């Protein structure tokens, strides 16, 4: 079986790319197609020696640093890949990858992280954050996003079967694409954590410092309660502003390697997470490390955290709601020291380990391949 894996772009090694690595492990013979590839050669073991095909955007001026500016060209770029002769096409998509034009005899399955947020429900936020909420440029961008939505919907109809990364995304696929989707959670390397280390008094959060991660309200809540200690790991555009607002009880460590993050996760009394995420790998990793998660109970976190057992769902994205949940967490811990047990957290995390992902996705694909062959 000849397999093509189509990925939006290869510029960083984050959650979607970790899922890509598992897909490559499942189908080691696969060739990779992507709009651009600017990952350092030889540094990603699963990509070494593989055939990686890029689009014409790879050679456009400034693409390495500003590839996202070429988003209006990406539908055209993704449609130029010649996939004739491939039996199975796996698109790993949160943007344009699912839009490839496949051979009519091929089976196209899309592992969807989310329909394009900036083209659909986050359009207005995207325009505000880019400084283009008003004016002529704003209207030009709105027109481009309008056309992108049209293409996004049409291209979604080319996919034979969708797999969503969570039930939250399953609902988004149904809303925007009018398509059904199976749910297979992304793979998490839970085996690299231990949950039996002594717990310390501090709370922990970790994230890239960008607005939607809502580190600002976490910092605000802990600044209001100086008796609580918070450690913050991560860097990004908002780092300087957050550091200026943070009280003396908050330690901002900036970017740290995985080894440091793992060490803190294994010692923290709880992990704080207030973003609305499609899935959220870090809360699962925190549980694997034995740390309960106190986080905004919407999106993927609602599915990965067992409320009252491996953490607490915060009712809304606000500092006051977070403080209420922190007080509830601490009161229950005082009344019952066995509450939110590290063992329970680690057991919950096992539902998302890599072997579960590999087994579920290969079984799903084999079943759909068999159904397709039966119709021929």
């Amino acid at each position: 079986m000849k397999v093509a894996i189509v990925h939006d772009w290869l510029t960083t090694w984050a959650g979607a790319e970790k899922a890509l690595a598992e897909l490559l492990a499942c189908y080691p013979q696969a060739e990779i197609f992507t709009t651009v590839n600017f990952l350092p050669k030889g540094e990603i073991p699963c990509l070494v020696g593989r055939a990686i095909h890029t689009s014409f955007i790879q050679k456009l001026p400034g693409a390495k640093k500003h590839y996202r500016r070429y988003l209006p060209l990406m539908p055209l770029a993704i449609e130029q890949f010649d996939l004739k002769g491939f039996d199975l096409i796996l698109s790993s998509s949160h943007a344009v990858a699912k839009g490839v034009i496949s051979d009519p005899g091929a089976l196209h399955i899309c592992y969807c992280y989310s329909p394009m947020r900036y083209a659909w429900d986050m359009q207005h936020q995207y325009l505000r954050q880019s400084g283009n909420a008003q004016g002529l440029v704003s209207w030009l961008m709105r027109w481009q996003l309008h056309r992108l939505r049209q293409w996004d919907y049409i291209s979604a109809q080319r996919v034979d079967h969708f797999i969503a990364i969570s039930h939250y995304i399953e609902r988004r696929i149904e809303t925007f694409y009018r398509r059904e989707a199976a749910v297979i959670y992304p793979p998490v390397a839970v085996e690299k954590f231990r949950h039996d280390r002594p717990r310390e008094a501090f709370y922990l959060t970790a994230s890239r410092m960008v607005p939607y991660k809502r580190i600002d309200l976490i910092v605000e809540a802990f600044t209001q309660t100086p008796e609580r200690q918070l450690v913050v790991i991560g860097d990004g555009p908002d780092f300087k502003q957050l550091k200026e607002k943070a009280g003396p009880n908050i330690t901002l460590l900036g970017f740290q390697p995985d080894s440091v993050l793992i060490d803190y996760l294994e010692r923290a009394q709880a992990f704080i997470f207030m973003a609305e995420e499609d899935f959220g790998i870090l809360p699962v990793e925190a549980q694997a490390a034995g740390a309960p998660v106190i986080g905004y109970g919407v999106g993927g976190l609602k599915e990965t955290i067992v409320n009252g057992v491996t953490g607490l769902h915060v009712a809304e994205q606000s500092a006051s709601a977070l403080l209420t949940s922190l007080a509830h967490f601490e009161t229950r811990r005082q009344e019952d020291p066995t509450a939110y047990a590290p063992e329970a957290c680690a057991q919950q995390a096992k539902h998302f380990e890599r072997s579960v992902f590999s087994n579920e996705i290969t079984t799903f694909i084999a079943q759909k391949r068999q159904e397709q062959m039966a119709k021929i």
Side-chain angles (χ1 to χ4, degrees):
M1 183 169 62
K2 195 174 181 184
V3 181
I5 297 181
V6 188
H7 193 69
D8 291 309
W9 46 73
L10 290 171
T11 57
T12 60
W13 199 254
E17 287 68 39
K18 291 174 182 177
L20 171 64
E22 292 303 316
L23 290 174
L24 290 168
C26 294
Y27 300 96
Q29 78 277 28
E31 296 182 31
I32 301 172
F33 294 81
T34 186
T35 54
V36 296
N37 174 24
F38 294 118
L39 291 175
K41 290 185 178 179
E43 290 191 9
I44 310 296
C46 69
L47 299 182
V48 174
R50 289 191 177 275
I52 303 179
H53 308 275
T54 56
S55 74
F56 64 82
I57 295 176
Q58 180 84 14
K59 297 181 180 180
L60 293 181
K64 186 170 185 177
K65 289 186 177 180
H66 305 293
Y67 65 94
R68 291 180 184 271
R69 293 181 181 177
Y70 290 112
L71 182 64
L73 294 177
M74 286 187 180
L76 174 63
I78 209 74
E79 290 179 344
Q80 301 313 302
F81 288 129
D82 183 2
L83 300 180
K84 190 171 182 61
F86 285 92
D87 304 297
L88 173 63
I89 296 165
L90 297 176
S91 53
S92 167
S93 183
H94 60 78
V96 298
K98 69 172 185 341
V100 289
I101 299 174
S102 60
D103 193 308
L107 177 66
H108 180 184
I109 294 176
C110 175
Y111 190 63
C112 184
Y113 306 99
S114 175
M116 265 188 269
R117 285 192 168 278
Y118 33 85
W120 294 98
D121 53 322
M122 288 185 68
Q123 171 189 291
H124 301 293
Q125 181 180 337
Y126 169 70
L127 291 169
R128 285 194 299 270
Q129 290 179 357
S130 64
N132 293 297
Q134 297 179 338
L136 178 60
V137 174
S138 174
W139 284 107
L140 289 172
M141 291 181 68
R142 290 172 192 270
W143 173 250
Q144 287 182 337
L145 291 171
H146 167 69
R147 294 299 300 271
L148 190 59
R149 276 192 296 276
Q150 291 178 321
W151 176 86
D152 197 41
Y153 176 83
I154 292 169
S155 65
Q157 311 315 307
R158 301 173 191 161
V159 176
D160 292 310
H161 303 283
F162 274 97
I163 303 173
I165 65 168
S166 63
H167 290 285
Y168 178 64
I169 295 304
E170 176 193 17
R171 290 189 291 274
R172 287 174 54 79
I173 290 170
E174 183 179 8
T175 298
F176 299 129
Y177 296 158
R178 302 303 184 194
R179 297 292 305 276
E180 293 182 353
V183 175
I184 298 177
Y185 292 113
V188 182
V190 300
E191 71 280 355
K192 67 182 181 181
F193 299 91
R194 51 180 296 189
H195 64 273
D196 56 352
R197 294 179 64 186
R199 295 285 145 187
E200 299 179 24
F202 68 90
Y203 292 90
L204 175 69
T205 190
S207 172
R208 178 160 169 74
M209 305 297 179
V210 290
Y212 91 93
K213 294 292 188 178
R214 302 313 313 265
I215 304 298
D216 59 326
L217 68 84
I218 299 175
V219 167
E220 179 186 346
F222 277 84
T223 298
Q224 292 177 23
T225 53
E227 69 277 9
R228 296 186 174 106
Q229 298 297 311
L230 175 69
V231 175
V232 183
I233 292 178
D235 202 352
D238 293 351
F239 181 84
K240 183 178 179 181
Q241 181 182 2
L242 291 168
K243 192 168 185 178
E244 290 173 353
K245 291 182 177 180
N249 58 318
I250 300 174
T251 303
L252 286 89
L253 298 179
F255 172 79
Q256 296 294 325
D258 280 353
S259 58
V260 174
L261 175 61
I262 291 171
D263 175 60
Y264 275 92
L265 284 170
E266 292 175 347
R267 294 185 291 117
Q269 70 163 316
F271 183 76
I272 313 297
F273 191 84
M274 291 298 290
E276 181 179 340
E277 286 282 13
D278 302 327
F279 174 70
I281 288 178
L282 261 171
V284 176
E285 292 181 330
Q287 290 176 98
V293 178
I294 301 170
Y296 184 42
V298 173
L301 188 139
K302 188 176 182 180
E303 300 174 42
T304 60
I305 308 301
V306 182
N307 193 34
V309 179
T310 68
L312 280 176
H313 295 164
V314 182
E316 62 182 39
Q317 278 183 314
S318 68
S320 60
L322 175 56
L323 288 171
T324 298
S325 293
L326 284 168
H328 181 81
F329 173 81
E330 291 166 352
T331 300
R332 187 174 174 207
R333 268 275 175 88
Q334 290 173 355
E335 295 173 349
D336 180 9
T338 64
Y340 311 106
E343 294 78 11
C345 294
Q347 188 62 38
Q348 170 65 4
K350 288 182 179 180
H351 291 107
F352 310 98
E353 61 186 7
R354 293 185 292 182
S355 61
V356 173
F357 171 84
S358 300
N359 290 336
E360 290 185 352
I361 204 158
T362 53
T363 299
F364 179 89
I365 291 171
Q367 178 186 343
K368 297 306 178 185
R369 178 76 173 154
Q370 187 176 15
E371 291 173 1
Q372 181 200 41
M373 297 301 291
K375 295 177 182 179
I376 298 175

